[in-house]
Amino acid sequence: MPPTPQQGFSAPTIVIGAGPHGLAAAALLRRSGIAAVILERSHRVGASWAQRYDHLRLHTTPGTSSLPGLSVPRQAGPWVSRDDYVRYLERYVAHHRLDVRVATPVQRIERAEPASGAQWLVHSSDGPVATGAVVVATGRCHTPDVPDWPGRSTFTGTLLHSAHYRSPAPYRGRDVLVVGAGNSGTEIAGVLAGAGAGAERVRIAVRTPPNILPRSSARWHAVGRLTEALPLAWRDRTSLLMQRLAVPDLTSRGLPRPRTGLYTRNAREGVNPVLDHGFVDAVRSGRVEPVAAVQAFDGPDVILADRTRLRPDTVIAATGYRSNLHGLVRSLGVLDEAGQPLAVGARTHPEAARLYFAGYTNPLTGVLRQAGIEARAITDALRRETARAPVL
């Protein structure tokens, strides 16, 4: 890797974050003749992927998981593993000769003084960096989010976020409650309940019944792209019918069918459907028991919304992440009330020219595919800006 930045160094463009969105943006900027330096807080490329659970596999096929300019190798198989994808990201850096400065966390971004000739001043652990443009690509899944349940601090069992779960081995013979029925929660619950895998008993707390589809993501993401222009209500009805035909009714097992279509849930909440990795069979067989949502903790007990009390050894909160951008952009006025960027991709806030945010949407057509789309759009926008007013 290149040496770490020195005090006062400058660059035409700074990309914050060496995940897929940051790498794709830097690669296309470099291809367009715009030099970019990537600042990464961890000690490696793709750190957020490397830290996920051992049995993680992508929900998109290699074709829709590849970044611009380099394909995921066929040897990775139809469902790319965590380790194979991290290796792919490392090869991507070498292939595009990207300038990545690891172990260089960024504390904040502020406007540069007009007389400096720079647009932004990026404050990193190695000093301020003057730059003409910034691409923030720290991602939606930056900081694990555990709800502040009443009595949480009194829980005498083990409580951890799914970000800190690695494998089923430590939970062999344990009573485990997984909270959250998204892709991570359902996959973790299914693996924990696998034959000889680990937990003696596995329950999953469900607040909203998920939209579940078979693990045919190649077909599913293609359908998502083809139907984008159709009315939302029509797409919802079609998706609910698809689920009825492809997924058995689990109501008798405590998991009723969803009433809200997956397109509406994605539009309102940014939630994607669950792709079945064996979770459905685990529920049908009773190896995974759906229960009501978690309401509170009371010493060794977990209190559910239906007033049931459970006493699990371990609670794994698959409750999502926060982008955690407030400290980074502080008072620039570019975030909404929920802390999400007001403008993403090639769009910028009117008061923050050349400050781009990549990787803050969760489209049904695939997050990794979106990395390339946003990288191209940002590159085109910055190239037009550069043509009008050259930057550093």
Side-chain angles (χ1 to χ4, degrees):
M1 292 291 179
T4 55
Q6 303 298 314
Q7 290 279 348
F9 107 102
S10 63
T13 303
I14 291 294
V15 177
I16 304 173
H21 284 81
L23 298 181
L28 291 189
L29 286 167
R30 187 177 188 278
R31 183 190 296 178
S32 297
I34 302 173
V37 175
I38 304 173
L39 303 183
E40 165 58 41
R41 62 173 177 163
S42 74
H43 288 78
R44 65 181 302 174
V45 168
S48 62
W49 289 88
Q51 294 165 4
R52 299 296 173 85
Y53 48 88
D54 297 346
H55 51 85
L56 174 69
R57 289 187 175 272
L58 299 187
H59 294 159
T60 49
T61 59
T64 54
S65 304
S66 297
L67 304 180
L70 184 67
S71 298
V72 173
R74 290 185 178 181
Q75 297 90 319
W79 311 108
V80 184
S81 72
R82 176 200 67 181
D83 292 345
D84 280 340
Y85 200 68
V86 171
R87 282 191 285 269
Y88 164 72
L89 295 178
E90 292 170 343
R91 284 197 299 273
Y92 193 84
V93 170
H95 178 80
H96 289 286
R97 299 171 62 189
L98 302 181
D99 187 353
V100 182
R101 315 292 177 96
V102 297
T104 310
V106 173
Q107 289 89 23
R108 69 183 187 278
I109 304 166
E110 61 184 26
R111 293 180 178 87
E113 294 292 333
S116 69
Q119 186 82 14
W120 299 101
L121 198 60
V122 176
H123 292 269
S124 76
S125 59
D126 290 312
V129 183
T131 184
V134 177
V135 180
V136 179
T138 53
R140 296 171 59 252
C141 299
H142 182 275
T143 303
D145 187 16
V146 179
D148 189 19
W149 289 297
R152 191 182 78 179
S153 62
T154 71
F155 184 52
T156 56
T158 300
L159 171 63
L160 69 152
H161 190 273
S162 58
H164 304 119
Y165 161 86
R166 291 293 175 268
S167 76
Y171 310 99
R172 182 167 287 114
R174 310 285 284 177
D175 184 327
V176 181
L177 173 66
V178 178
V179 184
N183 275 295
S184 293
T186 55
E187 187 171 344
I188 290 170
V191 170
L192 285 171
E200 179 179 339
R201 185 175 191 180
V202 179
R203 287 172 283 204
I204 185 166
V206 182
R207 182 180 59 184
T208 304
N211 297 94
I212 303 176
L213 294 173
R215 192 184 181 185
S216 53
S217 61
R219 182 164 60 251
W220 165 245
H221 288 290
V223 170
R225 293 194 295 273
L226 291 171
T227 60
E228 283 179 312
L230 296 175
L232 187 65
W234 184 91
R235 286 184 287 161
D236 273 343
R237 286 195 298 271
T238 303
S239 71
L240 290 171
L241 175 60
M242 182 190 304
Q243 291 171 73
R244 285 182 176 276
L245 294 174
V247 179
D249 188 355
L250 302 173
T251 302
S252 64
R253 289 292 186 178
L255 189 64
R257 291 191 183 277
R259 295 185 177 183
T260 304
L262 61 91
Y263 290 94
T264 293
R265 285 208 68 191
N266 179 263
R268 290 178 180 174
E269 306 168 44
V271 173
N272 278 352
V274 167
L275 298 182
D276 182 28
H277 289 242
F279 174 72
V280 170
D281 283 343
V283 172
R284 290 181 72 186
S285 66
R287 290 180 288 117
V288 172
E289 307 167 50
V291 297
V294 170
Q295 186 173 29
F297 287 79
D298 182 17
D301 293 344
V302 179
I303 304 171
L304 305 181
D306 61 4
R307 301 298 180 182
T308 300
R309 282 180 175 255
L310 308 179
R311 189 166 288 186
D313 300 308
T314 301
V315 174
I316 300 175
T319 47
Y321 295 79
R322 293 177 285 110
S323 55
N324 203 19
L325 289 168
H326 282 294
L328 190 63
V329 295
R330 296 196 178 221
S331 59
L332 296 178
V334 296
L335 304 179
D336 63 18
E337 293 181 357
Q340 296 300 310
L342 290 165
V344 297
R347 296 186 300 113
T348 58
H349 191 278
E351 301 300 321
R354 300 195 187 115
L355 176 62
Y356 302 94
F357 291 87
Y360 296 92
T361 61
N362 191 27
L364 290 169
T365 50
V367 171
L368 295 174
R369 176 177 177 270
Q370 187 70 13
I373 292 172
E374 291 186 353
R376 291 184 183 92
I378 289 170
T379 298
D380 289 345
L382 189 51
R383 191 166 49 200
R384 290 192 297 268
E385 286 282 340
T386 304
R388 286 196 292 264
V391 296
L392 284 177

